[in-house]
Amino acid sequence: MKKIFVISIIIQFSLPLFAQKANYCGADEMAKELFDSHPHLQQLMINRRAELKAFTQQYVSGRAGRNIDSLLIIPVVFHLIHTYGAETISDAQILSGLKVMNWNFRKQNPDTSTIVPAFKSIAADCEIEFRLASIDPDGNCTSGINRIA
Protein backbone atom coordinates (compact mmCIF):
# COMPACT_ATOMS: atom_id res chain seq x y z
CA MET A 1 0.00 0.00 0.00
CA LYS A 2 2.88 2.28 0.89
CA LYS A 3 4.54 1.61 -2.48
CA ILE A 4 1.37 2.55 -4.41
CA PHE A 5 1.08 5.78 -2.44
CA VAL A 6 4.72 6.72 -3.10
CA ILE A 7 4.42 5.88 -6.81
CA SER A 8 1.26 7.94 -7.16
CA ILE A 9 2.96 10.94 -5.48
CA ILE A 10 5.97 10.63 -7.80
CA ILE A 11 3.73 10.44 -10.88
CA GLN A 12 1.65 13.39 -9.70
CA PHE A 13 4.69 15.64 -9.28
CA SER A 14 6.48 14.48 -12.44
CA LEU A 15 3.57 15.05 -14.88
CA PRO A 16 4.02 18.86 -15.03
CA LEU A 17 7.58 18.26 -16.23
CA PHE A 18 6.18 16.90 -19.49
CA ALA A 19 3.65 19.67 -20.06
CA GLN A 20 4.01 21.78 -23.17
CA LYS A 21 2.97 25.35 -23.71
CA ALA A 22 -0.41 25.25 -25.44
CA ASN A 23 -1.24 27.68 -28.23
CA TYR A 24 2.26 29.19 -28.38
CA CYS A 25 2.86 31.59 -31.24
CA GLY A 26 6.34 32.84 -31.99
CA ALA A 27 5.24 35.67 -34.30
CA ASP A 28 6.48 38.44 -31.99
CA GLU A 29 9.88 36.82 -31.54
CA MET A 30 10.21 36.22 -35.29
CA ALA A 31 9.22 39.82 -36.07
CA LYS A 32 11.78 41.14 -33.58
CA GLU A 33 14.47 38.93 -35.09
CA LEU A 34 13.54 40.08 -38.60
CA PHE A 35 13.52 43.78 -37.66
CA ASP A 36 16.81 43.43 -35.75
CA SER A 37 18.51 41.99 -38.83
CA HIS A 38 16.71 44.26 -41.35
CA PRO A 39 15.87 47.60 -39.63
CA HIS A 40 14.55 49.18 -42.85
CA LEU A 41 11.69 46.66 -42.86
CA GLN A 42 10.38 48.00 -39.56
CA GLN A 43 9.94 51.49 -41.05
CA LEU A 44 8.34 49.95 -44.13
CA MET A 45 5.87 48.10 -41.88
CA ILE A 46 5.07 51.31 -39.98
CA ASN A 47 4.43 53.10 -43.28
CA ARG A 48 2.19 50.27 -44.55
CA ARG A 49 0.16 50.33 -41.35
CA ALA A 50 -0.25 54.11 -41.65
CA GLU A 51 -1.43 53.68 -45.26
CA LEU A 52 -3.92 51.01 -44.19
CA LYS A 53 -5.21 53.19 -41.36
CA ALA A 54 -5.66 56.16 -43.72
CA PHE A 55 -7.41 53.97 -46.29
CA THR A 56 -9.72 52.52 -43.64
CA GLN A 57 -10.62 55.96 -42.30
CA GLN A 58 -11.34 57.21 -45.82
CA TYR A 59 -13.42 54.12 -46.59
CA VAL A 60 -15.45 54.41 -43.38
CA SER A 61 -16.07 58.14 -43.86
CA GLY A 62 -17.17 57.45 -47.45
CA ARG A 63 -19.73 54.96 -46.16
CA ALA A 64 -21.09 57.29 -43.47
CA GLY A 65 -24.17 58.17 -45.50
CA ARG A 66 -24.89 54.64 -46.70
CA ASN A 67 -28.39 53.31 -46.52
CA ILE A 68 -28.72 51.41 -43.25
CA ASP A 69 -30.58 48.62 -45.05
CA SER A 70 -27.82 47.97 -47.58
CA LEU A 71 -25.62 44.91 -47.44
CA LEU A 72 -21.92 45.39 -46.64
CA ILE A 73 -19.87 43.04 -48.84
CA ILE A 74 -16.38 42.20 -47.60
CA PRO A 75 -13.99 40.57 -50.08
CA VAL A 76 -11.81 37.89 -48.49
CA VAL A 77 -8.79 35.89 -49.58
CA PHE A 78 -7.94 32.46 -48.19
CA HIS A 79 -4.21 31.72 -47.98
CA LEU A 80 -3.64 27.97 -47.79
CA ILE A 81 -0.15 26.88 -46.81
CA HIS A 82 0.40 23.23 -47.65
CA THR A 83 2.89 20.57 -48.73
CA TYR A 84 0.68 18.90 -51.37
CA GLY A 85 -0.53 16.46 -48.71
CA ALA A 86 -3.71 15.71 -46.81
CA GLU A 87 -3.49 19.06 -44.97
CA THR A 88 -4.77 20.99 -47.99
CA ILE A 89 -8.49 21.55 -48.40
CA SER A 90 -10.64 21.79 -51.50
CA ASP A 91 -12.30 24.86 -52.96
CA ALA A 92 -15.64 23.25 -52.09
CA GLN A 93 -14.66 23.11 -48.41
CA ILE A 94 -13.68 26.78 -48.47
CA LEU A 95 -16.95 27.76 -50.16
CA SER A 96 -18.89 25.67 -47.64
CA GLY A 97 -17.16 27.41 -44.73
CA LEU A 98 -17.82 30.80 -46.30
CA LYS A 99 -21.48 29.88 -46.74
CA VAL A 100 -21.80 28.91 -43.07
CA MET A 101 -20.05 32.10 -41.96
CA ASN A 102 -22.43 34.19 -44.08
CA TRP A 103 -25.44 32.31 -42.70
CA ASN A 104 -24.26 33.15 -39.20
CA PHE A 105 -23.61 36.84 -39.90
CA ARG A 106 -26.98 37.16 -41.69
CA LYS A 107 -28.82 35.18 -38.96
CA GLN A 108 -30.00 32.69 -41.59
CA ASN A 109 -28.51 29.56 -40.05
CA PRO A 110 -31.07 26.85 -39.27
CA ASP A 111 -30.28 26.72 -35.54
CA THR A 112 -31.41 30.26 -34.65
CA SER A 113 -34.29 28.70 -32.73
CA THR A 114 -31.76 27.33 -30.24
CA ILE A 115 -30.33 30.74 -29.31
CA VAL A 116 -30.10 31.08 -25.54
CA PRO A 117 -33.12 33.14 -24.40
CA ALA A 118 -30.91 35.79 -22.77
CA PHE A 119 -29.40 36.55 -26.20
CA LYS A 120 -32.49 36.27 -28.44
CA SER A 121 -33.25 39.99 -28.15
CA ILE A 122 -29.81 41.00 -29.41
CA ALA A 123 -29.34 38.37 -32.12
CA ALA A 124 -29.52 40.18 -35.44
CA ASP A 125 -28.81 40.09 -39.14
CA CYS A 126 -25.52 42.02 -39.31
CA GLU A 127 -26.11 42.72 -43.02
CA ILE A 128 -22.54 41.68 -43.74
CA GLU A 129 -21.62 39.22 -46.45
CA PHE A 130 -18.18 37.78 -47.10
CA ARG A 131 -17.28 36.90 -50.69
CA LEU A 132 -14.14 35.62 -52.32
CA ALA A 133 -12.13 38.54 -53.64
CA SER A 134 -12.09 38.84 -57.41
CA ILE A 135 -9.38 41.51 -57.69
CA ASP A 136 -6.03 41.49 -55.89
CA PRO A 137 -4.35 44.63 -54.46
CA ASP A 138 -2.51 45.15 -57.75
CA GLY A 139 -5.75 45.14 -59.77
CA ASN A 140 -5.26 41.64 -61.19
CA CYS A 141 -7.98 38.98 -61.30
CA THR A 142 -7.92 36.43 -58.50
CA SER A 143 -10.00 33.49 -57.36
CA GLY A 144 -9.74 34.58 -53.74
CA ILE A 145 -7.98 31.32 -52.90
CA ASN A 146 -4.19 31.51 -52.69
CA ARG A 147 -2.42 28.16 -52.36
CA ILE A 148 1.16 28.35 -51.13
CA ALA A 149 3.26 25.20 -51.27
Side-chain angles (χ1 to χ4, degrees):
M1 186 69 167
K2 220 179 204 183
K3 288 181 183 179
I4 294 173
F5 179 72
V6 171
I7 291 172
S8 67
I9 294 294
I10 291 171
I11 291 173
Q12 183 178 10
F13 286 107
S14 65
L15 285 178
L17 297 175
F18 299 105
Q20 296 178 358
K21 281 187 176 180
N23 300 324
Y24 173 76
C25 177
D28 292 334
E29 289 87 357
M30 293 303 295
K32 184 181 181 334
E33 186 179 313
L34 177 68
F35 294 145
D36 286 347
S37 58
H38 304 286
H40 66 283
L41 292 178
Q42 187 167 15
Q43 187 57 49
L44 180 65
M45 181 64 95
I46 291 168
N47 293 343
R48 292 286 186 167
R49 285 185 178 161
E51 288 173 14
L52 179 60
K53 185 176 181 179
F55 171 81
T56 303
Q57 288 173 340
Q58 179 184 0
Y59 181 81
V60 169
S61 66
R63 295 195 53 87
R66 84 176 178 101
N67 181 355
I68 198 71
D69 293 328
S70 64
L71 185 64
L72 176 61
I73 296 171
I74 300 175
V76 295
V77 175
F78 287 85
H79 300 277
L80 305 173
I81 301 171
H82 63 93
T83 59
Y84 298 105
E87 76 285 347
T88 192
I89 60 174
S90 69
D91 291 2
Q93 288 172 298
I94 292 169
L95 294 172
S96 175
L98 202 55
K99 182 178 180 180
V100 170
M101 190 167 70
N102 283 326
W103 278 352
N104 289 324
F105 272 86
R106 298 294 319 272
K107 196 183 166 192
Q108 296 173 338
N109 47 325
D111 64 351
T112 56
S113 62
T114 63
I115 296 174
V116 177
F119 297 106
K120 281 192 186 251
S121 64
I122 60 171
D125 177 355
C126 297
E127 297 183 357
I128 295 173
E129 187 173 306
F130 299 92
R131 294 186 187 167
L132 289 176
S134 57
I135 300 174
D136 73 9
D138 297 324
N140 301 315
C141 293
T142 180
S143 67
I145 301 172
N146 185 12
R147 297 182 189 279
I148 302 162

